[in-house]
Amino acid sequence: MPAKADDDDWSVGVVLSLPIFEGGGRAADAAKAGSELRSLTAKRTQAADLISQRIRTALFRMNYSNPNIDLARLAAENARKNLEVVQDKYARGKAGLVDLLDAQTESLVQEQSAALAEYQFIKDYIDLQRSLGWFEFGRSRPELDQLIENMKT
């Protein structure tokens, strides 16, 4: 017959482990991880600010270049009208050759400026799309409307 254990006997043990040979390595690792986290958070914030700045800059440039189209077209139209007047005066002998050449040059310059204004607007619009990471080509009208709503907020 097996011996019956006394119900009054208890055994308790406590184990304590202290990594004294690591020299505070765990604390240093935790501090390093916290420092890296703060650094990455700062870089993320900086990247978000840079993207936001690029979008605002592109939007500003696009809003600036749009009215320039109308102004450049108006200047080209006025230069064309001036050329017609100078050509008529030249035909009647009332204007010299230099005046005619100046009017032709000005008309040509203003036509080129009008074309450049249109190209500048298109470039600014593409820069805006690039900074947003969203290109209109191949998108539907509801997607464009959604983008405009998102930009308003």
Side-chain angles (χ1 to χ4, degrees), residues 56-88:
R56 284 192 309 272
T57 300
L59 232 144
F60 173 76
R61 286 182 180 165
M62 192 180 83
N63 285 335
Y64 173 76
S65 63
N66 188 24
N68 283 348
I69 294 172
D70 294 334
L71 294 174
R73 285 178 182 165
L74 181 62
E77 180 62 29
N78 288 337
R80 253 191 316 277
K81 288 177 183 177
N82 182 53
L83 175 61
E84 290 172 5
V85 169
V86 172
Q87 283 175 334
D88 184 51

Side-chain angles (χ1 to χ4, degrees), residues 1-152:
M1 191 164 195
K4 189 172 176 188
D6 253 358
D7 287 338
D8 293 334
D9 291 339
W10 290 88
S11 177
V12 176
V14 176
V15 176
L16 178 64
S17 174
L18 208 62
I20 60 173
F21 295 110
E22 289 186 15
R26 287 184 183 177
D29 288 344
K32 182 180 176 184
S35 175
E36 288 177 7
L37 177 63
R38 285 188 297 277
S39 174
L40 290 174
T41 301
K43 285 181 182 178
R44 181 181 184 273
T45 302
Q46 183 182 15
D49 289 345
L50 182 61
I51 290 169
S52 177
Q53 178 186 3
R54 285 182 182 168
I55 291 170
R56 284 192 309 272
T57 300
L59 232 144
F60 173 76
R61 286 182 180 165
M62 192 180 83
N63 285 335
Y64 173 76
S65 63
N66 188 24
N68 283 348
I69 294 172
D70 294 334
L71 294 174
R73 285 178 182 165
L74 181 62
E77 180 62 29
N78 288 337
R80 253 191 316 277
K81 288 177 183 177
N82 182 53
L83 175 61
E84 290 172 5
V85 169
V86 172
Q87 283 175 334
D88 184 51
K89 283 184 172 183
Y90 181 76
R92 290 183 290 141
K94 302 286 184 183
L97 182 61
V98 173
D99 294 330
L100 178 62
L101 291 175
D102 284 345
Q104 288 175 338
T105 302
E106 185 63 23
S107 179
L108 178 63
V109 166
Q110 293 304 325
E111 287 291 328
Q112 290 173 342
S113 292
L116 287 175
E118 291 176 22
Y119 286 121
Q120 184 63 45
F121 175 77
I122 292 169
K123 180 190 173 296
D124 292 340
Y125 185 61
I126 290 171
D127 286 345
L128 174 65
Q129 291 182 9
R130 183 179 297 132
S131 65
L132 290 171
W134 188 94
F135 292 93
E136 186 177 357
F137 180 74
R139 302 291 180 121
S140 65
R141 183 65 192 183
E143 288 175 312
L144 178 61
D145 292 340
Q146 182 63 41
L147 174 69
I148 292 169
E149 281 300 315
N150 290 343
M151 288 178 63
K152 287 181 181 178

